[in-house]
């Protein structure tokens, strides 16, 4: 029960982080238009976004502070607390970043990178919450919402990147490649979300995106990524892009809110079920203690002899086991054992999937560093190597990581 109560608190924090990230994403987009236009656009809009961020930040800080200070909770692991400490430090630097943006002492790309790092740290808190959850169903839901939030963050980075290019009047090769990468990475995140999400969560996702907005974004994507000349219109393409992508991200936020509500309802349901189990056990104890209950097992053994010492012990045992009280106890024990075994197996499978995904990400990073590949190229390289050697992606990733560790030790 204590673990479930802590898990419910952690899931509430996920909702707070979701709201704060959404506010940060909007501030990042407004700041990019402001910087790319050299302060001519979105000055007032940016101030509104900052006020929204400050409000959601206060709520999130209170919840994180409560979690970090509650050392009695067994699930408040050191890794999760370490993540929170890092996020706290990054939050304290937001004021300086905003002053640099206000005075235009920083470029749009530098501001975007700083926002990205902070949001990445916040998402890490969500991932560690999923990794330390002790219930398989809630772990699945947390993994799903983490990947959805990550996909939404990549959509926010796409909005920021596009705002820079469209506001400036064109895209260079670097920003064009970044835009393509962000579109592809979003799809991978949403594929993983679909894999772990409940049917109801998948329905929210598929019904939540406005088709006309998506079509407009796709048209602007093609203009940016295929070097189509940007037409001169009475309205800035940068603002048009910002408005369309904001509609898309706002639609994602509604889906995200539904996921958070589903997660909260799941926690409440499990807490209610645990309380009912405790009530059932108390009722069983009361039955055992009542005068009308069958006699204790030892007394049943004496009574069953009935003055016939020659009765077979096997028959005696069968009669005791078949008595109403002991039959109910055995059924209860078997049901609990089966339930615990099923929960343990499902939780271990989920944790294994999480470990394998982290291993693949680490191997991709090593391939990118040593082979000078993009993330997509590294992923294709790893997938082809695993197919050529008839190994799973996780096994091949483990081999690459182990080999890298050995080479690193030899250099040291």
């Amino acid at each position: 029960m204590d673990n479930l109560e802590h898990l419910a608190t952690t899931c509430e924090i996920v909702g707070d982080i979701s709201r704060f990230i959404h506010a940060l994403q909007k501030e990042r987009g407004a700041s990019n238009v402001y910087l790319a236009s050299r302060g001519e656009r979105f000055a007032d809009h940016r101030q509104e976004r900052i006020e929204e961020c400050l409000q959601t930040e206060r709520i999130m800080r209170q919840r994180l502070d409560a979690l970090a200070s509650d050392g009695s909770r067994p699930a408040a692991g050191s890794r999760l607390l370490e993540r929170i400490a890092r996020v706290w430090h990054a939050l304290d630097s937001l004021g300086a970043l905003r002053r640099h943006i206000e005075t235009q002492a920083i470029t749009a790309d530098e501001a975007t990178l700083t926002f990205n790092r902070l949001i990445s740290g916040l998402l890490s808190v969500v991932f560690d919450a999923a990794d330390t959850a002790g219930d398989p169903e809630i772990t699945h839901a947390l993994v799903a919402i983490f990947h959805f939030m990550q996909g939404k963050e990549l959509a926010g980075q796409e909005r920021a990147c596009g705002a820079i290019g469209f506001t400036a009047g064109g895209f260079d090769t670097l920003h064009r490649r970044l835009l393509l990468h962000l579109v592809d990475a979003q799809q991978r995140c949403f594929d993983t979300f679909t894999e772990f999400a409940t049917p109801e969560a998948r329905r929210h996702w598929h019904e939540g995106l406005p088709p006309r907005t998506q079509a407009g974004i796709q048209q602007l994507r093609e203009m940016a990524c295929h070097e189509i000349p940007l037409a001169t219109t009475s309205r800035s393409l940068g603002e048009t892009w910002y408005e369309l992508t904001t509609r898309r991200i706002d639609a994602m936020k509604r889906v995200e809110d539904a996921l958070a509500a589903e997660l909260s309802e799941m926690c409440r349901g499990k807490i209610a079920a645990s309380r009912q189990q405790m009530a059932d056990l108390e009722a069983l104890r009361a039955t055992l203690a009542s005068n009308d209950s069958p006699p204790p097992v030892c007394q049943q053994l004496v009574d069953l002899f009935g003055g016939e010492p020659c009765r077979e012990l096997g028959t005696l045992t069968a009669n005791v086991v078949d008595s109403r009280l002991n039959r109910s106890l055995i059924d209860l024990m078997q049901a609990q054992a089966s339930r615990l075994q099923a929960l343990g197996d499902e939780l271990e499978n989920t944790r294994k999937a999480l470990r394998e995904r982290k291993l693949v990400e680490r191997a991709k990073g090593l391939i990118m560093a040593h082979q000078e590949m993009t993330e997509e190229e590294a992923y294709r390289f790893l997938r082809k190597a695993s197919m050529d050697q008839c190994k799973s992606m996780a096994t091949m990733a483990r081999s690459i990581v182990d080999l890298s560790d050995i080479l690193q030790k030899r250099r040291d």
Side-chain angles (χ1 to χ4, degrees):
M1 180 66 74
D2 192 56
N3 281 331
L4 282 173
E5 292 284 359
H6 172 75
L7 196 53
T9 301
T10 304
C11 292
E12 290 174 353
I13 289 173
V14 170
D16 291 334
I17 290 175
S18 165
R19 286 183 283 274
F20 180 58
I21 287 178
H22 187 65
L24 270 179
Q25 288 167 339
K26 290 195 286 187
E27 181 185 348
R28 178 181 57 194
S31 297
N32 273 281
V33 175
Y34 176 82
L35 288 170
S37 65
R38 294 182 175 88
E40 295 179 3
R41 297 192 182 115
F42 274 33
D44 294 337
H45 185 66
R46 174 176 165 270
Q47 289 302 321
E48 293 173 3
R49 301 285 74 80
I50 290 175
E51 289 300 321
E52 183 181 351
C53 267
L54 291 173
Q55 184 178 2
T56 55
E57 180 185 346
R58 282 192 293 270
I59 297 172
M60 184 190 68
R61 276 182 181 265
Q62 291 172 0
R63 193 99 67 177
L64 289 176
D65 186 49
L67 178 67
S69 61
D70 189 359
S72 64
R73 295 294 189 181
S78 59
R79 186 173 60 182
L80 181 58
L81 296 179
E82 180 185 355
R83 293 286 191 191
I84 292 174
R86 290 181 181 179
V87 167
W88 213 274
H89 178 71
L91 289 174
D92 291 338
S93 66
L94 260 178
L97 172 63
R98 286 166 177 153
R99 287 191 295 272
H100 290 151
I101 294 173
E102 178 68 29
T103 59
Q104 300 180 51
I106 189 173
T107 67
D109 285 324
E110 290 170 341
T112 297
L113 183 60
T114 306
F115 278 115
N116 292 354
R117 286 172 178 166
L118 174 56
I119 293 174
S120 176
L122 290 165
L123 287 172
S124 295
V125 174
V126 179
F127 184 85
D128 283 333
D131 205 20
T132 57
D135 182 275
E137 190 176 3
I138 293 178
T139 299
H140 272 78
L142 281 167
V143 171
I145 198 171
F146 165 75
H147 282 91
F148 190 86
M149 290 173 69
Q150 191 175 45
K152 178 170 166 284
E153 161 55 11
L154 292 168
Q157 292 184 27
E158 181 193 6
R159 174 175 61 182
C161 178
I164 294 172
F166 283 115
T167 302
F171 289 81
D172 56 24
T173 302
L174 180 63
H175 285 89
R176 191 175 295 114
R177 287 178 178 174
L178 176 59
L179 203 64
L180 287 168
H181 162 72
L182 291 171
V183 172
D184 184 66
Q186 284 176 63
Q187 188 57 49
R188 290 203 300 271
C189 286
F190 293 135
D191 287 344
T192 304
F193 156 75
T194 303
E195 177 184 348
F196 282 91
T198 63
E200 182 68 12
R202 291 195 293 269
R203 184 185 66 78
H204 279 299
W205 168 232
H206 291 305
E207 295 178 359
L209 292 180
R212 292 183 62 182
T213 299
Q214 190 66 22
I217 292 172
Q218 187 59 36
Q219 183 179 0
L220 290 175
R221 280 175 176 171
E222 292 175 0
M223 293 174 64
C225 296
H226 296 92
E227 303 185 46
I228 297 175
L230 302 183
T232 302
T233 63
S234 59
R235 187 179 183 187
S236 167
L237 281 178
E239 293 184 22
T240 303
W241 166 265
Y242 183 86
E243 181 181 338
L244 288 173
T245 50
T246 297
R247 288 180 189 173
R248 178 173 181 249
I249 292 173
D250 286 345
M252 291 180 185
K253 182 61 174 63
R254 290 191 288 272
V255 176
E256 202 171 82
D257 289 342
L259 296 177
E262 181 184 62
L263 187 61
S264 180
E265 180 64 28
M266 195 180 295
C267 288
R268 287 195 295 267
K270 289 185 177 295
I271 290 173
S274 294
R275 285 177 177 158
Q276 184 60 49
Q277 287 181 2
M278 293 172 67
D280 292 343
L281 287 174
E282 289 298 327
L284 181 60
R285 288 194 186 98
T287 301
L288 292 172
S290 67
N291 294 330
D292 296 333
S293 63
V297 174
C298 291
Q299 184 62 44
Q300 290 186 55
L301 289 172
V302 174
D303 294 343
L304 283 169
F305 272 107
E308 301 178 13
C310 59
R311 175 174 282 183
E312 292 291 336
L313 182 60
T315 304
L316 170 65
T317 303
N319 287 335
V320 172
V321 169
D322 286 338
S323 67
R324 179 174 62 83
L325 173 63
N326 289 289
R327 186 71 260 166
S328 63
L329 288 172
I330 291 172
D331 290 342
L332 177 63
M333 292 168 61
Q334 288 177 339
Q336 285 288 80
S338 299
R339 175 178 170 273
L340 291 173
Q341 182 63 46
L343 285 173
D345 292 344
E346 188 175 353
L347 182 59
E348 179 55 33
N349 290 335
T350 303
R351 293 194 187 282
K352 180 181 178 183
L354 287 175
R355 289 194 297 268
E356 289 179 351
R357 289 181 186 280
K358 288 192 285 187
L359 195 61
V360 169
E361 290 299 317
R362 187 179 171 192
K364 277 167 48 182
L366 291 170
I367 295 170
M368 291 166 65
H370 290 284
Q371 301 296 325
E372 296 184 354
M373 292 181 176
T374 65
E375 183 180 1
E376 180 61 26
E377 290 170 342
Y379 179 81
R380 288 199 297 265
F381 177 87
L382 181 60
R383 183 175 59 186
K384 185 177 185 303
S386 63
M387 293 174 63
D388 291 344
Q389 299 190 30
C390 298
K391 296 180 179 179
S392 68
M393 290 273 286
T395 302
M396 181 57 63
R398 168 58 64 188
S399 300
I400 292 173
V401 170
D402 290 344
L403 180 60
S404 175
D405 291 341
I406 292 172
L407 294 176
Q408 183 64 40
K409 289 178 181 178
R410 287 185 177 181
R411 284 197 296 269
D412 295 342

